[in-house]
Amino acid sequence: MTNLFSIFDPSTQILNLPLNWLSIALPLMTFPYSFWLLPSRSKTMIMSIIMTLKTEFKLLLGPVHFPSATILLISLLTMILINNTFGLIPYIFTATSHPLMTISMALPLWLAFILYGWINHLTHMLAHLVPQGTPTMLMSFMVCIETISNIIRPLTLSIRLAANMIAGHLLLTLLGNQGPSSSIIILPLILTTQIMLLTLESAVALIQSYVFAVLSTLYASETS
């Protein structure tokens, strides 16, 4: 089990430097310079997707939203998506499967939203602690539940992303370890299953980045 979970441990070091964390910056190194300077079909497609996401995030944030919030959320979605996708390449460390990476993204966002809401919209934040239509006898109980749910939001955001990335990689690793000891009859079945899992993981990489960004948007909309 130690060897199995070692794929999620950034332990490759040279001169006491954890090189596996360089996978975060690796996607930027692979983009050609012409992508940033010259118009192309791929750039046009990416800009079209970004504008669609910007429109959707504006709707989720509501009429009153943070300045440049959509830029922050689209950048966050793009970074998570690229890291999730590059993590599917063999021998590349998936940074988003490590809780240190996911918590470092979720906690500052949540803390900034909470501080902004309690400082600038105190009445609005207090009203959120008691949902509309709550019976008088349950008001104090609902305040406790809403407070706990607000406190654990960064934990649920980070664990959801890390757990989904870890689960798929573990299945791929377990099936890959069965290959050398399997017979020739079972080997095609293992390869077919791995290809299907890899396709599923590609979809999970996209969905989890979108879910992380959308939930962050919804948390921000509650404080404005």
Side-chain angles (χ1 to χ4, degrees):
M1 293 299 291
T2 303
N3 294 331
L4 185 62
F5 281 91
S6 63
I7 60 175
F8 306 106
D9 183 19
S11 57
T12 303
Q13 294 186 359
I14 295 179
L15 299 177
N16 294 325
L17 295 175
L19 295 183
N20 280 344
W21 287 111
L22 290 177
S23 63
I24 300 174
L26 185 62
L28 297 177
M29 301 177 187
T30 58
F31 274 98
Y33 292 121
S34 59
F35 177 82
W36 308 103
L37 299 176
L38 302 175
S40 60
R41 292 182 180 179
S42 59
K43 187 175 182 179
T44 303
M45 182 183 68
I46 291 174
M47 290 305 299
S48 176
I49 295 173
I50 288 176
M51 294 307 296
T52 304
L53 290 172
K54 182 180 179 181
T55 303
E56 183 172 350
F57 287 156
K58 276 189 175 181
L59 291 174
L60 291 175
L61 286 170
V64 180
H65 58 82
F66 303 100
S68 304
T70 53
I71 299 176
L72 171 65
L73 293 167
I74 291 173
S75 302
L76 181 67
L77 185 150
T78 305
M79 185 185 70
I80 296 174
L81 175 59
I82 292 175
N83 277 278
N84 289 352
T85 306
F86 266 71
L88 297 175
I89 301 174
Y91 304 108
I92 293 183
F93 172 66
T94 311
T96 48
S97 66
H98 201 284
L100 181 63
M101 175 72 176
T102 55
I103 290 176
S104 65
M105 292 188 296
L107 188 59
L109 277 176
W110 172 82
L111 188 60
F113 295 151
I114 288 295
L115 290 177
Y116 176 85
W118 283 102
I119 292 173
N120 296 285
H121 305 284
L122 180 61
T123 306
H124 182 71
M125 295 296 291
L126 290 174
H128 264 292
L129 296 178
V130 182
Q132 188 176 3
T134 303
T136 307
M137 297 293 294
L138 297 177
M139 283 186 177
S140 58
F141 183 63
M142 289 303 299
V143 168
C144 295
I145 293 178
E146 290 295 325
T147 303
I148 293 173
S149 67
N150 286 332
I151 291 174
I152 65 173
R153 277 179 177 178
L155 184 63
T156 56
L157 263 181
S158 57
I159 296 301
R160 179 186 292 108
L161 176 58
N164 279 280
M165 298 310 298
I166 287 174
H169 285 66
L170 278 178
L171 288 174
L172 289 171
T173 305
L174 286 171
L175 285 175
N177 291 337
Q178 299 301 317
S181 59
S182 300
S183 63
I184 300 178
I185 300 175
I186 303 178
L187 194 59
L189 180 61
I190 294 177
L191 290 175
T192 304
T193 307
Q194 278 198 313
I195 292 173
M196 293 175 62
L197 279 174
L198 190 60
T199 306
L200 178 62
E201 276 298 291
S202 301
V204 169
L206 172 62
I207 292 170
Q208 287 305 313
S209 60
Y210 180 76
V211 167
F212 193 99
V214 167
L215 287 178
S216 301
T217 307
L218 294 176
Y219 296 159
S221 65
E222 291 183 2
T223 61
S224 59

